Amino acid sequence: MSEQKLTAELRTEFGKGYARRARMAGQIPAVIYGHGAEPLHVNLPAKATTLAVRVSNALLAIDVDGEQHLTLVKDIQRDPVKQIIEHVDLQTVKAGEKVTVDVAIHVSGEVAPGAVATLEATTISLEAEATHVPTAVEVDIEGRKAGENVHASDLVLPKGSTLLADAETLVVRVAEEAAAEEAEESGEAAAE
């Protein structure tokens, strides 16, 4: 994943009122922390930041008064109604450093006739190099029959990544179509 470059302004005021004024001026309050340094409070350009953080685990190169900070997005707070970004937490990283990230799981292929696949885990915890964080882990279920489940240990991880999740974690469940429908119906009956 390539890094996105953003220019930030140092923030000296704090509080709800200041944060509202900053957002109205097209800026997003953020904090940069890590490596034992004091947290650095900044304002990021709203439009560029919103575009940059559309992917999970975005790598951002932040310029604060000429000083470069290589960061990884750790948390984004959004307005629950409007879904606009209200605040961003950024963790300082270094090239070559290993970081812990949750990576999305993408399923491809079709199971065998008479079987149905259910995605049990949408993300998986990995350790990867900060500048080469994978965007997703692909799981191929082509032709799998009922009972041929996919566990975390079965995943083909991107180069340089290490599995941190339990190897027995169920990622994709493949069951008989009729059994899956019965389980769904019994779940609905229990809910009523």
Side-chain angles (χ1 to χ4, degrees):
M1 166 186 332
S2 63
E3 62 190 56
Q4 309 244 1
K5 296 181 184 340
L6 296 174
T7 303
E9 297 174 4
L10 204 53
R11 183 166 49 118
T12 55
E13 295 182 60
F14 304 95
K16 223 187 278 189
Y18 176 75
R20 278 193 200 117
R21 288 191 302 274
R23 285 191 285 275
M24 290 189 69
Q27 297 178 324
I28 297 172
V31 64
I32 301 171
Y33 62 87
H35 291 286
E38 284 291 315
L40 188 62
H41 299 276
V42 296
N43 282 331
L44 298 170
K47 186 174 182 178
T49 303
T50 301
L51 292 172
V53 300
R54 286 187 305 181
V55 296
S56 61
N57 302 315
L59 184 65
L60 306 176
I62 310 287
D63 182 334
V64 183
D65 296 332
E67 187 179 338
Q68 294 293 321
H69 296 273
L70 187 61
T71 64
L72 196 62
V73 175
K74 288 312 268 182
D75 189 37
I76 299 174
Q77 288 98 42
R78 295 181 187 271
D79 180 278
V81 176
K82 298 177 186 174
Q83 288 298 303
I84 59 169
I85 297 174
E86 292 187 331
H87 190 272
V88 180
D89 289 350
L90 304 165
Q91 180 182 2
T92 301
V93 294
K94 295 178 183 170
E97 175 183 12
K98 295 278 189 174
V99 293
T100 300
V101 291
D102 288 334
V103 179
I105 295 175
H106 291 175
V107 178
S108 62
E110 294 289 328
V111 291
V116 64
T118 306
L119 185 62
E120 297 289 331
T122 56
T123 62
I124 196 81
S125 287
L126 300 178
E127 183 179 66
E129 190 177 321
T131 54
H132 295 93
V133 174
T135 54
V137 174
E138 292 291 326
V139 177
D140 184 18
I141 59 169
E142 188 64 42
R144 287 190 184 259
K145 297 177 181 73
E148 293 181 13
N149 299 326
V150 179
H151 293 87
S153 59
D154 301 327
L155 297 175
V156 178
L157 300 177
K159 184 178 178 188
S161 298
T162 307
L163 182 68
L164 293 180
D166 182 20
E168 293 302 312
T169 301
L170 184 60
V171 177
V172 179
R173 179 185 310 274
V174 182
E176 289 183 36
E177 205 164 14
E181 289 173 7
E182 288 172 13
E184 189 176 301
E185 288 172 8
S186 67
E188 289 173 5
E192 292 174 1

